[in-house]
Amino acid sequence: MVVQESQDTKLTHSDSVSPSQQNRSNTSLSQFSGNSQHFTSNENIYYEPEEYTETDFLLPNQLYGRSRLTRSPQPKDANVSGALEESICSMVVQILVPFLLAGLGTVSAGILLDIAQSWEVFQEITEILILVPAVLGMKGNLEMTLASRLSTAVNAGKMDSPREKWMLIAGNLALKQLQATVLGLLASLMASLLGWMAEGQMPFNHIMLLCSTSVSTAFVASLLQGIVMVGVIIGSKRIGINPDNVATPIAASFGDLITLALLACFSQWFYSFIELYPYVLYLVNLSFLCLIPAWVAASSKHPASEILLHTGWEPIIIAMLISSIGGVILDKTVLDPNLAGIIVYAPVINGVGGNLVSIQSSRISTHLHLKYSPGQLPEGRQSCSNPWHTFFGSGANHRSAKILLLLVIPGQLIFLHVIHLIKGGHTLPSPLFTIAFLFASLIQVLILLCMADCLVHCLWRRGKDPDSYSIPYLTALGDLLGTALLSIAFLMLWCIGDPGSV
């Protein structure tokens, strides 16, 4: 009887919505058909988690205390309308402030890495430098992905219920701690393997130090940044700011500095135990591994995080491998005394590129979640044959792509000047170095924005959630592109005899 009433309500609503909206609703409903669902008079719903996919607005509306059958489409339309009415001025202001904060965070990270490379542990175990892009890349793999998922949830109206909001947050944070532990371990093993391939040997105590350092850094940094990110998302929602514009760069602003500080401190601390108390390293690794079952159990409590528990590993592991290749390039470049200055600028170019492309990826993903069914694309976006379509169009995401690209040169000029001031202000970057750095950064961001537009639409067409897949790939490719382009720029400057400063 209750089912019949819900169906009548659905028919009533269908009379007041447009054909496209009705088709969108019917498509979404068809995804959950097959197994019987039981409705009670108070609209409690019993569900099987396997009926849902990761592209269904993170979770179907039924799981948020309201049935999709009886829900009015007005809140969704309001969100879409709000996104369309976002002015260029508002967009620039919302993007600019967190972008500058994130850039200052990457500058601080570069200065810190420049100081830490002279520490004994960095001199004795050079493979730690291979860890740097991989560990920093976890910001894109975990923090930015979390920010993008929660931003989509906010814009789709999925965090209006306090109970479901905190269930979603708790499940995602538990999943993130699990992923941080596993990624930290894999990154250290990858660094050990690449170090062994390069040098032909790798002492076992060095492997244990890399594992302890990487896992500890990833776990603690992920926990701290996750808490900050949840606060940013909730705060943005309350004050009426689009979290897509601010969440990912703010995650990055804290991410680089916190992660590098923890990496340097943990590595130096564990290095002091390596000779007299090596068992400390074993205990550290064992303690983090013992927490894995607890994180699995906690993340399984919520269907959204349970889906990602099974499907969310591919992008972050592949992204970690890509970032590790960038780490090898950085390690080999720094070993050359003539090119050692790259270590200050590598976190800056990689961080800025990752921050900008993550904003664009999150915006496109939210747009697709709100307006299209999984597998359904806007007209003219069935292929990626024209990469310039990213910048030339009338939509809000085309405008944001142009704005993000235009921010590169003035932003990097500010960050170069800040580096100059922090280093004492005794020397200025040479004109050739400035031009080479800006050109490398511009090419990096241009490629990343085109790839983001293509990748997000491609993932959506294949039924995969761009919030979980695109940012890890894009930030990892940003690390690889940035490190490679910057290394080429430094090599060319060295070949022509430019010292990089005047």
Side-chain angles (χ1 to χ4, degrees), residues 1 5 12 53 61 110 113 120-121 126 128 146 191 199 209-210 231 246-247 314 363 368 395 428 469 483:
M1 183 65 183
E5 291 175 359
T12 302
T53 64
N61 287 349
L113 186 59
E120 184 179 3
V121 62
T126 58
I128 293 179
L146 172 68
E199 300 181 8
L209 184 141
L210 287 175
V246 300
E314 174 194 335
R363 290 178 61 90
L368 293 174
L428 288 171
Y469 279 80
T483 304

Side-chain angles (χ1 to χ4, degrees), residues 182-484:
V182 175
L183 280 185
L185 181 62
L186 291 178
S188 62
L189 295 177
M190 187 67 181
S192 301
L193 176 62
L194 293 174
W196 173 77
M197 292 173 62
E199 300 181 8
Q201 62 177 358
M202 189 68 187
F204 184 72
N205 58 352
H206 287 189
I207 296 177
M208 293 305 300
L209 184 141
L210 287 175
C211 290
S212 301
T213 300
S214 181
V215 174
S216 300
T217 299
F219 184 90
V220 177
S222 180
L223 180 62
L224 295 176
Q225 294 172 66
I227 294 172
V228 171
M229 190 46 46
V230 169
V232 170
I233 295 290
I234 294 176
S236 299
K237 180 178 182 293
R238 288 183 177 178
I239 64 178
I241 293 177
N242 184 358
D244 280 323
N245 292 336
V246 300
T248 49
I250 287 181
S253 66
F254 294 97
D256 287 336
L257 183 59
I258 291 175
T259 303
L260 268 181
L262 290 171
L263 179 68
C265 293
F266 276 128
S267 61
Q268 186 65 35
W269 186 43
F270 291 141
Y271 185 72
S272 64
F273 297 131
I274 200 170
E275 296 294 339
L276 297 178
Y277 309 105
Y279 61 86
V280 172
L281 305 182
Y282 296 92
L283 290 175
V284 169
N285 290 323
L286 184 61
S287 62
F288 284 116
L289 293 177
C290 288
L291 290 174
I292 287 180
W295 299 127
V296 172
S299 59
S300 300
K301 297 294 185 182
H302 197 277
S305 53
E306 184 182 26
I307 291 170
L308 294 174
L309 184 62
H310 299 291
T311 64
W313 294 99
E314 174 194 335
I316 60 177
I317 291 177
I318 294 177
M320 183 270 297
L321 297 176
I322 295 173
S323 294
S324 296
I325 298 174
V328 174
I329 297 175
L330 179 64
D331 183 39
K332 295 304 177 184
T333 306
V334 170
L335 290 177
D336 187 339
N338 297 309
L339 307 176
I342 190 177
I343 201 166
V344 179
Y345 302 97
V348 179
I349 191 172
N350 293 343
V352 168
N355 298 343
L356 294 177
V357 76
S358 65
I359 295 173
Q360 183 69 0
S361 174
S362 184
R363 290 178 61 90
I364 298 174
S365 178
T366 296
H367 174 74
L368 293 174
H369 271 287
L370 292 176
K371 300 195 69 176
Y372 300 95
S373 302
Q376 185 183 51
L377 291 176
E379 185 179 354
R381 298 314 317 270
Q382 301 299 323
S383 67
C384 300
S385 57
N386 183 13
W388 297 109
H389 183 272
T390 303
F391 304 99
F392 299 101
S394 58
N397 292 328
H398 297 93
R399 293 196 299 270
S400 66
K402 288 181 279 191
I403 290 171
L404 294 171
L405 188 63
L406 291 174
L407 286 176
V408 174
I409 290 181
Q412 292 289 29
L413 284 173
I414 293 173
F415 303 144
L416 283 176
H417 185 64
V418 172
I419 292 174
H420 156 70
L421 294 178
I422 293 177
K423 294 182 72 173
H426 302 300
T427 59
L428 288 171
S430 68
L432 280 179
F433 171 79
T434 302
I435 293 172
F437 181 80
L438 294 178
F439 184 73
S441 185
L442 191 64
I443 293 297
Q444 177 209 30
V445 174
L446 178 66
I447 294 174
L448 288 176
L449 290 175
C450 292
M451 292 181 67
D453 194 35
C454 180
L455 179 62
V456 171
H457 286 93
C458 181
L459 289 169
W460 188 257
R461 185 174 67 245
R462 297 185 178 184
K464 296 182 180 294
D465 183 10
D467 284 325
S468 299
Y469 279 80
S470 62
I471 291 181
Y473 289 133
L474 292 169
T475 53
L477 289 170
D479 291 342
L480 180 59
L481 277 173
T483 304

Side-chain angles (χ1 to χ4, degrees), residues 116-129:
Q117 71 167 332
S118 62
W119 293 4
E120 184 179 3
V121 62
F122 281 81
Q123 297 294 319
E124 293 294 325
I125 309 176
T126 58
E127 290 78 14
I128 293 179
L129 288 177

